[in-house]
């Protein structure tokens, strides 16, 4: 009799565990989902999920949605006493720290806490079918979720609005909620913990019989490209910023500040090199935008536009050069080359600031970028004004250059190529 009861209990437990869809982006961070049958039938009600990670981590998070923007996010971290976990419901507003939310109806269930150097949160959510910014069907066979965690020292806070550092790894995954449906337990995780060694677990980028799909291209932790993602993002930010804040303005200033044979080709080579640097940064930026689902963000759209818009600069510059040699002065290609270049480079500088906001850079970092960018832009504009005034003075009837030209000692079109006045015609 006791044996039959034990076998019955074991069978029931195995059914419950099988209904928990589990995903593990690394060997020590795992997430699991369960949808009670009554919830799946009515479309509303309680759902259960579990978050698990090392207690030495800063935080671990799971969210409903395909990207951070408008996601319904749940983050856990060690409490101030180091004996339990703090569950922090938050709403995603973009690629920045999610804001604390009081709208989520969540309960931290039994079995949650710190054990064997791991923090575990068994969570019941009573209104996760919709939230400010999104909704989810509990019968979706490919529901969208995001995950993230931050390596480093524990947060150790009881506040649900604690300031949290940016994730070190993150990604997206999907759960088959129909396969996760079943049971009526008030705590389906009370006797089970999601681990990467479990038969129902899932490693990054793989698939399993449990029905949870693998992580998308933005996966981190155990697979994908997440280990390189911070480096790629940093390289993108540095190369693009240096190109627009330093290299492009320097090339534009130099052609006004110097005068020597071959300066035109030095200018052209410098600008071509800078454009190549930007194209490398653009490629990294597009890759980042695709894997983070941010291709539609203003920073991404403007960056792609700038890449295409700058393509015409070498063409208009070469046309300006040929026509200037032929006509000896400004021509139909001169001013499009000048003002288009100035406008696009200025837009690139502004877009760098948008990128810093999108990546949730520190306030000090944004201020530093703004100060350096503003200084270089004003210095560049000052050089343009100075060159224009100098050119006007040289063409004044009272100037020495004007008197020499009237006396028949003016320069030919070929000679004008090395004159500062010619150089002033390029951006």
């Amino acid at each position: 009799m006791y044996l039959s009861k034990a076998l019955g209990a074991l069978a029931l437990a195995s059914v419950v565990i099988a209904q928990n869809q589990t995903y593990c982006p690394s060997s020590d961070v795992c997430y699991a989902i369960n949808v009670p049958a009554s919830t799946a039938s009515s479309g509303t009600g309680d759902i259960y999920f579990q978050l698990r990670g090392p207690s030495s981590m800063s935080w671990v998070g799971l969210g409903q949605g395909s990207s951070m923007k408008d996601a319904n996010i749940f983050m856990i971290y060690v409490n101030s006493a180091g004996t339990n976990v703090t569950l922090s419901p938050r709403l995603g507003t973009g690629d920045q720290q999610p804001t604390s939310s009081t709208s989520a109806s969540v309960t931290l269930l039994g079995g949650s806490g710190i054990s064997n150097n791991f923090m575990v949160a068994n969570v019941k959510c009573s209104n996760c079918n919709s939230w400010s910014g999104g909704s989810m069907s509990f019968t979706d066979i490919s529901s969208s979720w995001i995950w993230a965690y931050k390596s480093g020292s524990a947060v150790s806070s009881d506040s649900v609005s604690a300031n949290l550092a940016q994730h070190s790894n993150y990604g997206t995954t999907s759960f088959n909620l129909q396969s996760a449906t079943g049971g009526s337990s008030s705590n389906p995780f009370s006797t089970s913990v999601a681990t990467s060694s479990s038969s129902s677990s899932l490693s990054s980028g793989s698939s399993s019989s449990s029905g949870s799909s693998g992580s998308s291209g933005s996966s981190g932790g155990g697979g994908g490209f997440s280990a390189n993602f911070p480096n790629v993002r940093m390289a993108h930010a540095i190369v693009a910023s240096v190109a627009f804040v330093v290299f492009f303005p320097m090339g534009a200033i130099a052609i006004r500040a110097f005068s020597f044979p071959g300066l035109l080709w030095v200018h052209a080579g410098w600008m071509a090199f800078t454009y190549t640097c930007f194209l490398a940064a653009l490629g990294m930026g597009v890759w980042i935008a695709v894997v983070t689902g941010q291709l539609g963000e203003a920073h991404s759209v403007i960056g792609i536009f700038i890449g295409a818009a700058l393509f015409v600069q070498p063409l208009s510059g070469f046309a300006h050069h040929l026509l200037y040699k032929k006509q000896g002065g400004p021509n139909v290609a001169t001013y499009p080359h000048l003002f288009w270049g100035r406008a696009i480079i200025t837009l690139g500088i502004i877009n760098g600031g948008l990128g810093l906001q999108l990546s949730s850079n520190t306030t000090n970092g944004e201020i530093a970028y703004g100060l350096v960018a503003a200084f270089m832009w004003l210095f560049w504009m000052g050089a343009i004004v100075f060159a224009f005034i100098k050119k006007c003075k040289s063409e004044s009837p009272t100037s020495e250059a004007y008197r020499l030209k009237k006396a028949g000692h003016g320069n030919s079109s070929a000679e004008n190529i090395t004159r500062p006045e010619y150089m002033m015609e390029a951006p």
Side-chain angles (χ1 to χ4, degrees):
M1 180 177 179
Y2 291 108
L3 178 61
S4 62
K5 287 183 177 180
L7 291 175
L10 180 61
L12 178 61
S14 66
V15 170
V16 172
I17 292 174
Q19 292 161 344
N20 297 341
Q21 295 294 287
T22 303
Y23 172 64
C24 300
S26 71
S27 60
D28 51 8
V29 175
C30 286
Y31 309 96
I33 304 291
N34 173 261
V35 180
S38 58
T39 299
S41 176
S42 64
T44 61
D46 300 335
I47 67 167
Y48 301 90
F49 50 88
Q50 183 183 83
L51 294 81
R52 173 185 181 272
S55 57
S56 59
M57 279 188 171
S58 180
W59 56 264
V60 175
L62 177 68
Q64 296 174 278
S66 57
S67 65
M68 282 189 65
K69 183 175 175 59
D70 297 327
N72 195 28
I73 301 173
F74 306 92
M75 309 175 82
I76 62 168
Y77 37 89
V78 177
N79 69 354
S80 59
T83 57
N84 207 336
V85 294
T86 297
L87 172 64
S88 174
R90 304 194 176 206
L91 291 175
T93 57
D95 193 9
Q96 55 190 338
Q97 183 175 181
T99 58
S100 179
S101 171
T102 58
S103 60
S105 178
V106 292
T107 305
L108 200 59
L109 303 175
S112 302
I114 310 296
S115 178
N116 298 323
N117 298 320
F118 276 87
M119 52 182 171
V120 176
N122 296 324
V123 183
K124 179 179 74 173
C125 182
S126 300
N127 62 347
C128 278
N129 60 305
S130 64
W131 61 92
S132 176
S135 62
M136 177 172 288
S137 169
F138 292 148
T139 58
D140 191 346
I141 63 173
S142 184
S143 62
S144 297
W145 298 74
I146 61 174
W147 59 266
Y149 58 84
K150 169 63 177 177
S151 300
S153 57
V155 173
S156 300
S157 174
D158 296 328
S159 172
V160 296
S161 57
N163 186 41
L164 304 180
Q166 189 176 23
H167 48 64
S168 54
N169 287 284
Y170 75 99
T172 62
T173 190
S174 63
F175 287 100
N176 184 338
L177 297 184
Q178 289 188 8
S179 296
T181 298
S184 58
S185 172
S186 59
N187 186 357
F189 303 112
S190 59
T191 59
S192 65
V193 175
T195 63
S196 59
S197 59
S198 169
S199 61
S200 62
S201 68
L202 187 63
S203 297
S204 178
S206 65
S207 60
S208 79
S209 59
S210 67
S212 174
S213 68
S215 175
S216 74
S218 58
S219 65
F225 55 80
S226 64
N228 295 322
F229 182 85
N231 295 330
V232 174
R233 183 170 59 181
M234 182 176 294
H236 165 74
I238 292 174
V239 174
S241 296
V242 170
F244 281 98
V245 176
V246 181
F247 286 177
F248 275 130
M250 282 178 58
I253 292 170
I255 203 168
R256 293 172 173 80
F258 302 103
S259 177
F260 56 83
L263 175 59
L264 173 65
W265 302 113
V266 172
H267 167 80
W270 179 265
M271 291 306 206
F273 166 76
T274 304
Y275 183 43
T276 302
C277 291
F278 167 64
L279 288 179
L282 177 63
M284 290 184 282
V286 170
W287 179 78
I288 293 169
V290 169
V291 301
T292 58
Q294 296 174 336
L295 199 58
E297 295 288 340
H299 175 71
S300 305
V301 174
I302 293 173
I304 294 172
F305 169 75
I306 290 172
L310 283 177
F311 181 75
V312 304
Q313 280 301 98
L315 303 178
S316 62
F318 186 64
H320 157 77
H321 169 65
L322 293 180
L323 292 174
Y324 196 98
K325 287 178 64 177
K326 182 177 180 180
Q327 301 176 10
N331 51 74
V332 69
T334 299
Y335 295 106
H337 183 68
L338 278 170
F339 294 106
W340 185 252
R342 293 170 185 170
I344 296 302
I345 294 172
T346 300
L347 182 61
I349 293 173
I350 295 172
N351 200 41
L354 296 178
L356 291 178
Q357 292 181 347
L358 186 62
S359 62
S360 301
N361 203 284
T362 63
T363 301
N364 289 339
E366 293 177 358
I367 292 174
Y369 175 85
L371 291 174
V372 174
F375 171 79
M376 287 299 299
W377 188 84
L378 291 173
F379 186 55
W380 176 26
M381 293 300 107
I384 292 174
V385 173
F386 177 79
F388 178 76
I389 293 174
K390 184 177 179 181
K391 185 174 184 291
C392 290
K393 287 183 176 180
S394 70
E395 294 177 350
S396 171
T398 60
S399 68
E400 182 66 20
Y402 183 84
R403 289 196 296 270
L404 288 173
K405 185 174 181 179
K406 293 293 288 184
H409 300 291
N411 294 326
S412 65
S413 295
E415 292 171 330
N416 278 342
I417 296 176
T418 61
R419 281 176 53 87
E421 288 82 3
Y422 170 75
M423 299 307 169
M424 293 171 197
E425 305 300 342

